[in-house]
Amino acid sequence: MADVAFASGRNIRVLGLSGSMRRNSYNTALLRAAQELAPCNMTVELYDLSAIPMYNEDLRDRGYPPTVSQLRQDIHTSDAILIASPEYNRSVPALLKNAIDWASRRPDQPFKGKPIAIMGVSNGALGAAFANYHLRQIFVYLDAQLINGPEVMIGNATQKFDETGRLIDEPTRTFVASHLERLMALAVNTRNVMITHRAATATAT
Ligand code: FNR
């Protein structure tokens, strides 16, 4: 895996989006665990969505707000997206849905073809499964490339993380690591396809 990534030139850069702004968020803690567990040659950057305004078509008509332009650009230039989101009332929290809605507008919808992995944690038993599946539905519509499995739905959060927010449950850590391996493979493959496509286009012109 590492050799393939090196062959394509640089590290795999992953944007980590948390669906929670809570200081002691389990989902943000899960992204921090992903930073530790990521394969070599993959970096996971935690992205702050808190400054994204609520979507308003009138605002967009005046041009994307700077925080939204930055988000859209960062999605474009990243190799992959890693989401960790709680479930609010059996669906996607407004923070994350709002950011996706802003980013998804034309031109150059940045999620198209983007490798995306979706994880979630909750205190309950179901591990934010409904939010996970609503996110999948959204990203199918936006024509992203999703990691199908293993599905990372972590329930009973208080037993899986310690009081400092470290993911301490070993089977869960192994599971998350294998999810990231899948994301790495898809991101490397996607980048190599793009490089080949660009080279073919350049030769043809
Ligand atoms: C929740 N929570 C919750 N949990 C769940 O398993 N299913 C649900 O539908 C909901 N709904 C819900 C709605 C709202 C408005 C809140 C604030 C919370 C509980 C939620 O999973 C829990 O608070 C998580 O710890 C939130 O994630 P972070 O902030 O720890 O990442």
Side-chain angles (χ1 to χ4, degrees):
M1 183 80 65
D3 291 346
V4 181
F6 273 128
S8 63
R10 62 174 169 79
N11 266 1
I12 290 296
R13 180 174 163 248
V14 178
L15 286 195
L17 306 183
S18 172
S20 174
M21 286 166 56
R22 201 168 69 84
R23 188 158 29 94
N24 295 325
S25 161
Y26 287 116
N27 286 280
T28 307
L30 180 57
L31 288 177
R32 283 199 298 273
Q35 289 179 311
E36 270 180 54
L37 296 167
C40 59
N41 303 323
M42 173 188 273
T43 51
V44 179
E45 298 169 18
L46 294 196
Y47 205 89
D48 181 7
L49 297 175
S50 62
I52 307 278
M54 278 309 287
Y55 187 85
N56 179 337
E57 191 79 18
D58 297 337
L59 270 186
R60 180 179 168 240
D61 287 345
R62 284 182 243 135
Y64 282 114
T67 50
V68 176
S69 290
Q70 188 64 53
L71 173 64
R72 285 168 52 82
Q73 188 185 325
D74 285 330
I75 294 169
H76 269 301
T77 57
S78 69
D79 295 296
I81 310 278
L82 177 64
I83 291 176
S85 180
E87 174 175 289
Y88 283 0
N89 298 314
R90 294 288 188 253
S91 191
V92 182
L95 171 79
L96 185 56
K97 180 65 163 60
N98 181 58
I100 295 168
D101 289 343
W102 265 118
S104 68
R105 305 308 289 157
R106 287 179 296 274
D108 300 328
Q109 194 273 94
F111 294 114
K112 187 176 173 58
K114 187 68 62 179
I116 298 184
I118 301 171
M119 313 184 291
V121 194
S122 79
N123 290 324
L126 299 181
F130 291 90
N132 191 310
Y133 266 76
H134 282 181
L135 284 163
R136 285 171 189 272
Q137 182 180 328
I138 292 165
F139 287 118
V140 165
Y141 176 68
L142 294 174
D143 204 12
Q145 300 188 76
L146 290 165
I147 301 298
N148 290 328
E151 293 174 313
V152 180
M153 299 169 180
I154 304 172
N156 305 313
T158 50
Q159 295 164 31
K160 310 281 170 54
F161 292 81
D162 70 13
E163 62 286 350
T164 69
R166 184 161 196 277
L167 180 62
I168 50 169
D169 187 67
E170 278 307 324
T172 306
R173 289 177 71 84
T174 304
F175 206 58
V176 170
S178 80
H179 197 69
L180 295 171
E181 287 285 353
R182 290 281 304 272
L183 184 63
M184 180 78 178
L186 180 61
V188 168
N189 188 49
T190 301
R191 186 201 290 169
N192 288 340
V193 167
M194 282 166 54
I195 290 169
T196 308
H197 175 73
R198 274 195 216 111
T201 309
T203 309
T205 52

